[in-house]
Amino acid sequence: MGLLLTLTLLLGTLLVLGLPDRDDGRQDGGGGACTPHTVASWAEDDALTSEFARYGDDGARTDDWTGGDGTHSVRLPDGRLLWLFSDTFLGRVHGPPNPVGESYAWRDMTAPMVRNSAVLMRDGRLESTLPAPLFPDPAPDQWRWPVGARVEPRSPGSTEQVVRVLLWVRTAGQSPWIYGVPTATEVATLSLPDLRLESVETVLDQREVPDPSRRVLFGTTLVEEDGWTYVFGGDDGRAVSREASQAYVARVPEGGLADPAAWEYWDGTAWQTRARPRPVLGDGRRTGVGSAFSVVRQGGTYVLFTMATGVKGLTTVAAYWSCSPTGPWRGPAKEFSPALPHGGTGAYNPQTHPELSGDGRLVLSYDVNLLETSGAGAAVTLSRNVSLYRPRFVTVRLGPGR
């Protein structure tokens, strides 16, 4: 996540082989027969990609979103769509040509950047940016990146609804933690319909885990099923070695996301309230996930999207499937390589958007940034071509796998 990237953030999953069978006592995922799934076809979603370009390039706006990554979304009860972003550029965008005569929209080098933002969409059209940052820094040299979100009862059984947003807290650090040391998972509560920040609750503090590469941050993706919210997360194993990051899962009863005591973590054999999660995917050598991934449920089958293995992790999305959130995850299934806007860029953070999906179509976003992001040259490039740091969208159709 965040403005700066390394190849470790872009590299994705390795081939899932030899995982022990763990099905949490269920064979069908609780929603019908579990069958193998794969990507049957995919196509660029030009309409959504163009809508973010239109909004970001609007020169009449002086303090709104003009580019960002960490793309997540949640449907609000009144029909609006709330888009959440991590590192975000604000400020005015100028039409082409840019200062060196290229035909790109551009922004001043002095344009502000914030650690998170939120943009509202109605009927397919982006309307406004909430005051940014929406989630203030928790302490000096710390920041919050929003990830998955959902609308749920304020408390179990309540008729009042609120928005819960999962937050990753990171702390400034030295190499190899130049993108922040994993610190904690928090849950923010936003009121409805005005989206006022009411509170932020720490649900899993990882500061006592001595090895930062094994600290787990939850919330990269959420899946709802039978009164539970399954919350997936990962560690940062790739930050310090060639080892793959590992995926984990927790579950929370509906209405309990902001209650640390309501969280249960999969420990390899059962759900436990003590925070001792065991990975559901990844052995640290041959198997694992990228820095961010997404899971959806199709009938009784769970499908996981992440960047592919090796150098393909810069360009290619892979899919895996399981009959349970706890695995075993099988794959990779058919891979695909969505378009990149410019030489020297890479894709990362594939995220599904079920609220925009339907009729057999699944909308998926991916973030884009420069492969080389250190030094002043990268900042100049991103400013001279604002389209390089924005989400792109594809439409995926799933079919029978094996």
Side-chain angles (χ1 to χ4, degrees):
M1 308 289 289
L3 171 62
L4 300 179
L5 298 179
T6 62
L7 297 183
T8 60
L9 291 177
L10 296 171
L11 295 178
T13 60
L14 303 172
L15 181 63
V16 177
L17 297 172
L19 291 178
D21 275 347
R22 295 186 296 262
D23 63 7
D24 193 22
R26 296 172 301 167
Q27 299 298 320
D28 64 0
C34 176
T35 59
H37 278 51
T38 189
V39 175
S41 64
W42 68 276
E44 302 290 343
D45 192 326
D46 294 331
L48 267 172
T49 300
S50 296
E51 176 58 18
F52 277 89
R54 179 201 66 80
Y55 183 80
D57 288 348
D58 188 344
R61 305 177 186 277
T62 60
D63 60 354
D64 281 13
W65 183 97
T66 65
D69 71 353
T71 311
H72 291 78
S73 63
V74 59
R75 178 74 69 184
L76 304 180
D78 60 10
R80 293 176 298 168
L81 200 62
L82 178 67
W83 292 91
L84 297 162
F85 293 92
S86 297
D87 287 355
T88 300
F89 280 111
L90 304 175
R92 185 186 297 275
V93 167
H94 308 281
N98 67 14
V100 294
E102 297 169 323
S103 58
Y104 302 129
W106 58 284
R107 67 171 70 87
D108 293 325
M109 288 290 293
T110 57
M113 194 195 78
V114 294
R115 287 298 191 177
N116 59 76
S117 67
V119 183
L120 285 168
M121 172 181 278
R122 188 189 300 272
D123 298 329
R125 187 174 178 83
L126 295 166
E127 291 186 334
S128 61
T129 301
L130 298 181
L134 181 58
F135 308 104
D137 294 345
D141 296 322
Q142 290 187 344
W143 61 88
R144 290 172 166 135
W145 282 336
V147 280
R150 69 159 298 188
V151 174
E152 70 167 10
R154 180 175 289 279
S155 59
S158 173
T159 59
E160 183 184 4
Q161 292 183 309
V162 294
V163 181
R164 309 285 196 200
V165 180
L166 277 292
L167 303 172
W168 288 352
V169 177
R170 290 185 176 263
T171 302
Q174 303 297 317
S175 179
W177 304 105
I178 57 175
Y179 309 107
V181 179
T183 303
T185 300
E186 298 177 331
V187 176
T189 298
L190 303 179
S191 61
L192 286 169
D194 58 344
L195 299 174
R196 177 176 55 86
L197 178 60
E198 294 186 348
S199 62
V200 177
E201 184 74 34
T202 300
V203 296
L204 186 61
D205 191 332
Q206 292 285 272
R207 289 176 296 180
E208 293 185 2
V209 177
D211 182 356
S213 70
R214 290 300 173 230
R215 295 178 179 180
V216 183
L217 299 184
F218 282 93
T220 183
T221 185
L222 311 178
V223 180
E224 302 168 29
E225 180 191 347
D226 295 338
W228 294 94
T229 299
Y230 291 92
V231 187
F232 290 84
D235 60 32
D236 267 13
R238 286 187 179 274
V240 295
S241 72
R242 294 180 180 271
E243 294 183 355
S245 295
Q246 296 174 311
Y248 303 77
V249 65
R251 69 177 186 179
V252 188
E254 186 177 39
L257 277 172
D259 179 6
W263 283 59
E264 298 179 353
Y265 303 87
W266 183 253
D267 72 353
T269 58
W271 296 102
Q272 301 287 346
T273 55
R274 292 179 298 173
R276 294 181 179 176
R278 296 291 181 181
V280 297
L281 193 161
D283 63 6
R285 299 182 302 278
R286 297 177 298 117
T287 66
V289 294
S291 59
F293 58 93
S294 187
V295 179
V296 294
R297 188 164 63 95
Q298 297 277 310
T301 306
Y302 293 81
V303 182
L304 183 151
F305 293 92
T306 188
M307 302 310 293
T309 183
V311 295
K312 292 189 298 182
L314 305 172
T315 60
T316 304
V317 177
Y320 299 78
W321 68 274
S322 175
C323 294
S324 166
T326 62
W329 290 95
R330 299 175 174 91
K334 180 180 177 181
E335 300 172 344
F336 64 95
S337 298
L340 290 169
H342 192 276
T345 59
Y348 58 109
N349 186 35
Q351 287 294 323
T352 57
H353 303 277
E355 60 279 347
L356 290 172
S357 307
D359 192 28
R361 300 164 52 256
L362 181 63
V363 173
L364 183 145
S365 65
Y366 58 101
D367 294 329
V368 174
N369 203 341
L370 298 174
L371 298 181
E372 175 55 58
T373 59
S374 61
V380 169
T381 300
L382 290 177
S383 295
R384 289 180 177 174
N385 182 357
V386 297
S387 70
L388 296 180
Y389 188 56
R390 287 174 179 166
R392 270 72 177 170
F393 295 85
V394 296
T395 297
V396 175
R397 290 187 180 272
L398 298 176
R402 60 183 177 88

